[in-house]
Short mmCIF file of all heavy atoms in Angstrom, two decimals:
data_model
loop_
_atom_site.label_atom_id
_atom_site.label_comp_id
_atom_site.label_asym_id
_atom_site.label_seq_id
_atom_site.Cartn_x
_atom_site.Cartn_y
_atom_site.Cartn_z
N LEU C 53 137.84 97.63 64.15
CA LEU C 53 136.92 98.78 64.30
C LEU C 53 136.10 98.46 65.58
O LEU C 53 135.46 97.48 65.68
CB LEU C 53 136.15 98.90 63.08
CG LEU C 53 136.67 99.47 61.85
CD1 LEU C 53 135.66 99.36 60.66
CD2 LEU C 53 137.07 100.88 62.02
N SER C 110 118.99 94.61 69.41
CA SER C 110 119.88 93.51 68.99
C SER C 110 119.53 92.95 67.56
O SER C 110 120.35 92.59 66.77
CB SER C 110 119.73 92.38 70.09
OG SER C 110 120.15 91.25 69.61
N LEU C 143 118.90 101.18 57.75
CA LEU C 143 117.94 100.07 57.65
C LEU C 143 116.64 100.42 56.91
O LEU C 143 116.07 99.68 56.11
CB LEU C 143 117.66 99.41 59.02
CG LEU C 143 118.84 98.56 59.66
CD1 LEU C 143 118.43 98.15 61.06
CD2 LEU C 143 119.30 97.45 58.75
N GLU C 166 94.60 88.31 40.39
CA GLU C 166 93.83 88.14 39.16
C GLU C 166 93.49 86.65 38.99
O GLU C 166 92.64 86.32 38.18
CB GLU C 166 94.61 88.61 37.93
CG GLU C 166 94.59 90.16 37.81
CD GLU C 166 95.49 90.64 36.74
OE1 GLU C 166 95.85 89.76 35.86
OE2 GLU C 166 95.84 91.73 36.73
N LEU C 206 106.20 102.36 47.16
CA LEU C 206 107.29 103.28 47.44
C LEU C 206 106.90 104.66 47.93
O LEU C 206 107.34 105.10 48.98
CB LEU C 206 108.14 103.58 46.20
CG LEU C 206 108.94 102.32 45.61
CD1 LEU C 206 109.46 102.64 44.19
CD2 LEU C 206 110.06 101.95 46.53
N GLY C 223 107.54 88.37 51.87
CA GLY C 223 107.85 87.73 50.57
C GLY C 223 108.47 88.67 49.53
O GLY C 223 108.60 88.28 48.39
N PRO C 237 108.70 95.69 62.14
CA PRO C 237 108.21 96.34 63.38
C PRO C 237 109.39 96.45 64.43
O PRO C 237 109.35 97.31 65.19
CB PRO C 237 107.19 95.29 63.90
CG PRO C 237 106.55 94.84 62.59
CD PRO C 237 107.82 94.68 61.65
N CYS C 287 121.16 108.71 40.41
CA CYS C 287 122.18 108.52 41.40
C CYS C 287 121.99 109.43 42.53
O CYS C 287 122.15 109.10 43.66
CB CYS C 287 123.63 108.72 40.86
SG CYS C 287 124.05 107.49 39.74
N ILE C 334 126.25 107.80 26.54
CA ILE C 334 127.55 107.24 26.54
C ILE C 334 127.63 105.93 25.77
O ILE C 334 128.37 105.76 24.78
CB ILE C 334 128.12 106.98 27.92
CG1 ILE C 334 128.04 108.28 28.79
CG2 ILE C 334 129.58 106.36 27.89
CD1 ILE C 334 129.17 109.26 28.63
N GLY C 359 132.76 97.14 24.60
CA GLY C 359 132.32 97.18 25.99
C GLY C 359 133.36 97.75 26.92
O GLY C 359 133.06 98.61 27.76
N LEU C 360 134.65 97.33 26.72
CA LEU C 360 135.67 97.87 27.52
C LEU C 360 135.86 99.36 27.41
O LEU C 360 136.04 100.13 28.39
CB LEU C 360 137.02 97.13 27.20
CG LEU C 360 137.05 95.65 27.60
CD1 LEU C 360 138.32 95.02 27.13
CD2 LEU C 360 136.91 95.47 29.15
N GLY C 423 141.06 90.87 51.49
CA GLY C 423 142.28 91.38 52.09
C GLY C 423 142.45 92.86 51.73
O GLY C 423 142.91 93.69 52.45
N GLY C 437 145.97 109.27 54.68
CA GLY C 437 145.79 107.91 54.30
C GLY C 437 144.89 107.81 53.10
O GLY C 437 145.16 107.05 52.08
N ARG C 448 147.31 103.61 39.20
CA ARG C 448 147.11 102.26 38.61
C ARG C 448 146.22 102.34 37.37
O ARG C 448 146.49 101.75 36.40
CB ARG C 448 146.60 101.28 39.69
CG ARG C 448 147.64 100.65 40.49
CD ARG C 448 147.06 99.63 41.42
NE ARG C 448 146.48 98.43 40.71
CZ ARG C 448 147.03 97.30 40.71
NH1 ARG C 448 148.16 97.01 41.33
NH2 ARG C 448 146.45 96.27 40.15
N ALA C 460 147.02 98.92 21.82
CA ALA C 460 146.09 99.12 20.71
C ALA C 460 146.77 99.82 19.50
O ALA C 460 146.57 99.40 18.38
CB ALA C 460 144.95 100.07 21.17
N ALA C 461 147.74 100.69 19.83
CA ALA C 461 148.46 101.40 18.75
C ALA C 461 149.33 100.36 18.08
O ALA C 461 149.45 100.44 16.74
CB ALA C 461 149.27 102.51 19.39
#
Side-chain angles (χ1 to χ4, degrees):
L53 283 175
S110 160
L143 290 176
E166 281 173 18
L206 290 170
C287 292
I334 305 277
L360 290 175
R448 272 183 66 108

